[in-house]
Amino acid sequence: MRHLLVVLGLVAVGTALAGCEWIGRGEPKLLYRVNCGADKDYVDDDGTVWKADQVWADGQDWGAVNGQVVHRAGIETIAGKPAPGVYLDERYSMAAYRFKAPNGTYTVHLHFAETYDGITAAGERVFSVQVEGKTVLENLDVFKETGKFAKPLVKKVSGVEVSDGELTIDFVENTQNPEINGIEVFQH
């Protein structure tokens, strides 16, 4: 595939030059932003809307496959700041999330924070995440990666190829139940 690049009025065809941007490629398009476990939409400090969670059902564009939800109202701070609402809600014990998505390439942002007071050390909750059948996070231990309780962890998964009209994120329990606080899906 050939790309067109315009640099200060000059036209070049071929590979990108350092410090230049592709015209027409643009930013990825947001398809979904979900506050996992929430029963109502959440607007963060930047004015960004996170949709309330829902269970996957026929006729819906997205949803969780099974699992339980919880709101952690007693947490006042996350990483020393007023707690962003997306990290106060959680879905756990789910098998998957499904999103209707046109065939193409995607980037997925997975938001985690260990906010269950029953997890007090590394190794107490470990799970794996698969996106479109590929393991992208093996033996994820949020507490171990962040080093503390209630600290956000965002994992970016790029180059996700969808070829069946549905983007699927599967969760595999290793120790304790998988959990997730937020999901963002961007189309390229």
Side-chain angles (χ1 to χ4, degrees), residues 121-127 139-146 153:
E124 293 182 350
R125 184 195 309 261
V126 180
F127 58 95
N139 298 321
L140 176 65
D141 184 336
V142 175
F143 195 101
K144 181 178 179 180
E145 287 206 31
T146 63
L153 175 67

Side-chain angles (χ1 to χ4, degrees), residues 53-101:
D53 204 355
Q54 63 187 23
V55 174
W56 176 258
D58 287 339
Q60 292 186 327
D61 289 338
W62 66 275
V65 178
N66 301 323
Q68 303 295 317
V69 299
V70 65
H71 177 76
R72 309 254 191 235
I75 298 173
E76 296 179 16
T77 62
I78 297 278
K81 299 178 184 174
V86 70
Y87 296 107
L88 297 180
D89 295 301
E90 172 186 312
R91 180 170 289 273
Y92 65 95
S93 296
M94 64 281 160
Y97 269 86
R98 293 176 157 175
F99 298 89
K100 289 184 181 176

Side-chain angles (χ1 to χ4, degrees), residues 21-157:
E21 295 182 21
W22 291 108
I23 292 177
R25 301 290 302 225
E27 291 295 316
K29 174 185 174 189
L30 175 69
L31 288 187
Y32 302 99
R33 181 174 279 129
V34 179
N35 185 3
C36 302
D39 61 356
K40 60 184 176 184
D41 291 356
Y42 165 69
V43 180
D44 65 22
D45 290 342
D46 295 329
T48 302
V49 177
W50 295 75
K51 298 301 289 179
D53 204 355
Q54 63 187 23
V55 174
W56 176 258
D58 287 339
Q60 292 186 327
D61 289 338
W62 66 275
V65 178
N66 301 323
Q68 303 295 317
V69 299
V70 65
H71 177 76
R72 309 254 191 235
I75 298 173
E76 296 179 16
T77 62
I78 297 278
K81 299 178 184 174
V86 70
Y87 296 107
L88 297 180
D89 295 301
E90 172 186 312
R91 180 170 289 273
Y92 65 95
S93 296
M94 64 281 160
Y97 269 86
R98 293 176 157 175
F99 298 89
K100 289 184 181 176
N103 293 347
T105 305
Y106 293 82
T107 296
V108 178
H109 295 184
L110 303 169
H111 295 257
F112 305 97
E114 187 54 75
T115 58
Y116 172 48
D117 60 11
I119 304 295
T120 59
E124 293 182 350
R125 184 195 309 261
V126 180
F127 58 95
S128 297
V129 180
Q130 300 172 343
V131 178
E132 283 301 286
K134 296 179 185 173
T135 300
V136 296
L137 300 172
E138 188 166 8
N139 298 321
L140 176 65
D141 184 336
V142 175
F143 195 101
K144 181 178 179 180
E145 287 206 31
T146 63
K148 63 192 298 186
F149 179 78
K151 183 175 180 185
L153 175 67
V154 181
K155 293 291 191 173
K156 181 179 176 182
V157 182

Side-chain angles (χ1 to χ4, degrees), residues 8-24:
L8 299 175
L10 301 175
V11 176
V13 177
T15 59
L17 303 174
C20 301
E21 295 182 21
W22 291 108
I23 292 177

